[in-house]
Amino acid sequence: MAFSFTTAGESHGRALVATIEGLPAGLAIDQDFINHELWRRQQGYGRGGRMKIETDTAQILTGVRHGETLGSPVAVMVENRDFKNWLEVMAAEKPAQPPERDRRVIRPRPGHADLVGGMKYDRRDLRDILERASARETTMRVAVGAFAKLLLREFGVEIASHVIRLGEISIEDQEIDWERIKAIYDNAMLRCADKAAEQKMIERIDLAGTEEGDTLGGIFEIVAKGCAPGLGSHTSWSAKLDGQLAQAVMSIHAVKAVELGEGVSNAAKPGSQVHDEIIYDPDSRSFGRTSNRAGGLEGGMTNGEELRVRGYLKPIATLRKRLRSVNIETKEPMDSDFERSDVTAVPAAGVIGEAMVAITLARAMREKFGGDSMREMKRNFDEYRKQIQEY
Ligand code: EPS
């Protein structure tokens, strides 16, 4: 069965849930690891008041017994602690009284799903849109991503991320090796490998969050180490792993561009300075590359080098400094709505990016190596590795 997942849940509703299909039976599930991944997503300097309310904890409802997957669908739930403050606003039941006029969201935020979602779904309280459009949904992607990471680990794949830009501040040297990225895996500030740049980013966030009342975007990079060559395929547009990764990372809230390897700067260079030359090591009987500007992907397939994917985030659409909008009832010009907001979520987006990359790789691994149990999947994997060595 193909690996797939669905999430459900509103930002201030009772809970968020996810279902996962296609995990093999016998995968060891470490709940502390899953909760630690959820913790990582909640860190990062520049988050707003909501993160003080929530301590995300995954409850596994189905599909796991005595610490191992059963091969059946897995259902996971994370409760929204904030729900107790939103009982009436978010109740599933029809209210006895129509909601007060001023509790409704009627001034759409520019850059958010509010207005177009309201028009499309014919909702007159834009809360009906913003509750699901909220990036709170990504909690469940990280929970699912943790399952995917546990699967990938069994096959020697590890994933981490780091922040390379926040607003106008970038790290000096953009080539950060795996060890340095791994060393900041649990950093609770900005997960930036360049400490001097990180300090400047923190000061920039302070300025945006106080005096300016503004929000900031940035760039994160995800690295996956240890992927076998040949995940994905050149044979069909939909099978190309680069396309799948781009979709997975682009689907994260506020991500507006995705770059694979050095894709952006490569476009301005001649081919001789872009393509990674091929070498062969007779000792390990493996092919390699002298550089990795392609980010570990050639022809829509992993080539065995480190996978490098970057996500570019626009600034968050909820800002204290009001932007011009229109009251959807009176059609009068008005400032957009504001409740509370993060100043930036770039470090969190990196963790979410790790999850989306993990999910994409887990799906490709399940497709290539199949099997109903871990034992069967590993046997198929080991045979393939042997075949590649003999090539
Ligand atoms: C979000 C708005 C804020 C963020 C939220 C995403 O929430 P609230 O409206 O409750 O203040 O904190 O992010 C999360 C709750 C989370 O877990 O990441 C939005 O509108 O996208």
Side-chain angles (χ1 to χ4, degrees):
M1 177 175 284
F3 181 93
S4 65
F5 79 103
T6 315
T7 72
E10 281 69 47
S11 181
H12 304 95
R14 185 180 299 277
L16 304 163
V17 294
T19 54
I20 311 167
E21 276 194 297
L23 283 170
L27 172 66
I29 297 304
D30 175 351
Q31 297 208 34
D32 291 341
F33 174 74
I34 298 168
N35 288 328
H36 186 69
E37 289 291 288
L38 294 175
W39 173 87
R40 290 179 65 232
R41 194 198 68 93
Q42 294 197 280
Q43 305 313 301
Y45 196 70
R47 300 305 300 272
R50 179 75 186 273
M51 285 308 97
K52 296 191 180 73
I53 299 173
E54 306 294 343
T55 310
D56 293 335
T57 313
Q59 295 177 51
I60 299 176
L61 306 179
T62 71
V64 178
R65 181 166 170 261
H66 298 168
E68 288 192 2
T69 52
L70 303 176
S72 52
V74 172
V76 196
M77 176 175 81
V78 172
E79 282 182 48
N80 285 322
R81 290 196 175 191
D82 205 15
F83 178 59
K84 63 177 185 304
N85 304 316
W86 295 79
L87 289 172
E88 276 172 40
V89 178
M90 293 306 294
E93 296 75 26
K94 198 175 167 65
Q97 307 282 337
E100 290 165 43
R101 226 183 140 83
D102 59 5
R103 293 295 305 260
R104 283 182 299 150
V105 179
I106 50 173
R107 296 173 294 168
R109 288 161 295 172
H112 215 281
D114 301 347
L115 178 58
V116 64
M119 288 160 64
K120 177 175 162 69
Y121 287 89
D122 195 23
R123 309 312 295 168
R124 305 306 160 111
D125 180 355
L126 299 177
R127 178 160 300 287
D128 289 351
I129 304 303
L130 72 88
E131 283 291 331
R132 182 63 185 159
S134 163
R136 175 97 185 121
E137 183 264 344
T138 59
T139 308
M140 297 324 290
R141 302 205 208 182
V142 171
V144 175
F147 280 82
K149 280 186 175 180
L150 289 171
L151 176 72
L152 292 170
R153 267 190 190 174
E154 298 279 339
F155 298 90
V157 180
E158 278 191 87
I159 300 175
S161 69
H162 66 123
V163 169
I164 58 181
R165 172 185 269 259
L166 206 132
E168 58 274 65
I169 299 159
S170 289
I171 59 175
E172 194 119 321
D173 170 14
Q174 303 223 341
E175 277 180 42
I176 307 286
D177 65 33
W178 169 256
E179 292 308 323
R180 283 177 69 198
I181 297 169
K182 201 64 218 288
I184 53 168
Y185 194 79
D186 287 332
N187 178 304
M189 293 301 273
L190 294 176
R191 280 207 339 290
C192 183
D194 174 340
K195 289 299 137 196
E198 187 171 68
Q199 192 48 44
K200 282 190 206 147
M201 290 172 184
I202 288 168
E203 285 160 19
R204 184 67 192 88
I205 292 168
D206 283 339
L207 186 68
T210 52
E211 269 170 55
E212 296 177 348
D214 219 328
T215 55
L216 297 166
I219 309 173
F220 59 85
E221 181 176 61
I222 301 139
V223 184
K225 198 176 164 54
C227 296
L231 298 178
S233 173
H234 66 290
T235 55
S236 213
W237 73 267
S238 57
K240 285 176 175 262
L241 195 72
D242 42 12
Q244 294 176 7
L245 286 164
Q247 202 250 328
V249 175
M250 187 71 103
S251 75
I252 299 168
H253 305 68
V255 170
K256 291 294 132 201
V258 179
E259 179 180 15
L260 302 174
E262 295 171 28
V264 172
S265 57
N266 283 351
K269 293 180 192 163
S272 57
Q273 289 172 35
V274 168
H275 300 297
D276 309 304
E277 291 182 305
I278 300 170
I279 48 175
Y280 185 73
D281 175 19
D283 295 335
S284 61
R285 291 200 290 167
S286 62
F287 291 94
R289 303 290 187 283
T290 52
S291 53
N292 185 22
R293 298 183 200 104
L297 291 156
E298 286 171 307
M301 293 171 277
T302 51
N303 63 7
E305 300 295 311
E306 273 175 13
L307 195 75
R308 294 216 171 217
V309 185
R310 288 178 181 185
Y312 291 61
L313 286 155
K314 69 177 180 181
I316 288 166
T318 312
L319 40 154
R320 199 150 42 76
K321 187 183 199 165
R322 306 291 175 101
L323 295 177
R324 251 189 328 178
S325 183
V326 172
N327 178 317
I328 57 168
E329 287 183 349
T330 65
K331 311 295 187 289
E332 282 165 356
M334 264 185 194
D335 285 345
S336 54
D337 263 312
F338 176 78
E339 280 168 8
R340 66 182 169 204
S341 176
D342 306 322
V343 176
T344 188
V346 181
V351 177
I352 302 155
E354 289 174 29
M356 292 311 291
V357 168
I359 289 166
T360 309
L361 289 175
R363 193 173 62 192
M365 292 282 290
R366 293 294 294 137
E367 196 173 290
K368 179 145 182 55
F369 302 111
D372 294 311
S373 65
M374 280 302 288
R375 193 144 74 99
E376 192 179 2
M377 187 178 175
K378 276 194 176 159
R379 196 165 61 222
N380 297 342
F381 177 81
D382 291 342
E383 280 302 312
Y384 175 71
R385 283 232 88 124
K386 227 187 306 168
Q387 179 191 315
I388 281 192
Q389 274 208 327
E390 287 161 6
Y391 180 81

